[in-house]
Amino acid sequence: QFPEMNLQAKAAYVYDIRTGEVLFAHNEDKRLPLASLTKVMSALVAQEISPEYGVVTVSDDALKNEGDSGLINGEKWSLKELLDFSLITSSNDGMRAVALALGALSRRDISSEEIINDFVGRMNEKASELGLKNTYFWNETGLDESEVKGGAYGSASDVSSLMAHIIISYPE
């Protein structure tokens, strides 16, 4: 369908969300590192855990992640504004602050690491619920865990399904 296209991507998947018709597919089910696309699932899970008007306080623990997006310890953000900021700027600090704040809602007597693990567990549950068979999260930001292990993995078709779910369920 695209004879003059010079595709350099390892995988691609294009479909019409209205009809479900696949327009183009290349290695669409190949599991690859998601990197910052991970933040899309983090935002979805955060929005489902807490109302947008919730308030998130940035903690020292949130600021320990790689990358500095200018957030300050003790700063307070509405959940919606912090999610918007984190998605637009790909802020690891912002998404970590969200995960720490929301992951602690049900269990206040646990460590930051346990809170993050609970939040990431919810991300993996949501991936399963959405039928994302090639998607798995190790953390909430997509930062590599090591030189050989990514922070999350997924396929082009899974990312398309995730984005379709968000567009349909949360059009705003």
Side-chain angles (χ1 to χ4, degrees):
Q1 291 185 1
F2 305 97
E4 300 199 18
M5 182 173 66
N6 180 14
L7 183 66
Q8 296 181 7
K10 292 179 182 176
Y13 189 73
V14 180
Y15 79 104
D16 186 324
I17 192 172
R18 293 168 293 179
T19 66
E21 178 186 3
V22 176
L23 303 173
F24 181 80
H26 171 71
N27 292 330
E28 67 273 16
D29 292 320
K30 183 175 183 177
R31 188 178 283 182
L32 297 166
L34 289 177
S36 285
L37 286 172
T38 300
K39 292 176 181 77
V40 174
M41 179 62 88
S42 293
L44 174 62
V45 168
Q47 190 158 17
E48 291 185 352
I49 291 173
S50 178
E52 288 184 349
Y53 56 81
V55 175
V56 174
T57 303
V58 177
S59 68
D60 268 339
D61 281 344
L63 301 174
K64 292 177 183 173
N65 258 351
E66 182 179 317
D68 180 1
S69 56
L71 297 178
I72 300 168
N73 184 32
E75 196 171 24
K76 295 185 186 306
W77 289 69
S78 75
L79 176 61
K80 180 186 180 338
E81 289 175 349
L82 188 53
L83 286 175
D84 288 349
F85 172 80
S86 298
L87 289 170
I88 290 168
T89 65
S90 192
S91 172
N92 297 323
D93 298 344
M95 207 52 77
R96 170 66 52 118
V98 167
L100 285 168
L102 298 181
L105 289 176
S106 60
R107 297 174 59 196
R108 299 198 187 283
D109 60 336
I110 59 175
S111 70
S112 294
E113 183 178 339
E114 291 171 307
I115 291 169
I116 292 298
N117 288 340
D118 283 354
F119 188 85
V120 173
R122 288 183 182 200
M123 293 168 62
N124 285 312
E125 288 170 12
K126 188 65 179 181
S128 179
E129 177 187 315
L130 294 174
L132 308 180
K133 294 180 176 85
N134 293 305
T135 299
Y136 192 81
F137 302 97
W138 292 102
N139 63 51
E140 77 290 355
T141 64
L143 280 173
D144 289 344
E145 293 282 305
S146 70
E147 288 194 25
V148 295
K149 180 180 175 185
Y153 292 89
S155 66
S157 61
D158 280 3
V159 171
S160 292
S161 294
L162 173 61
M163 297 306 285
H165 171 77
I166 291 169
I167 289 168
I168 292 166
S169 301
Y170 300 96
E172 68 282 357

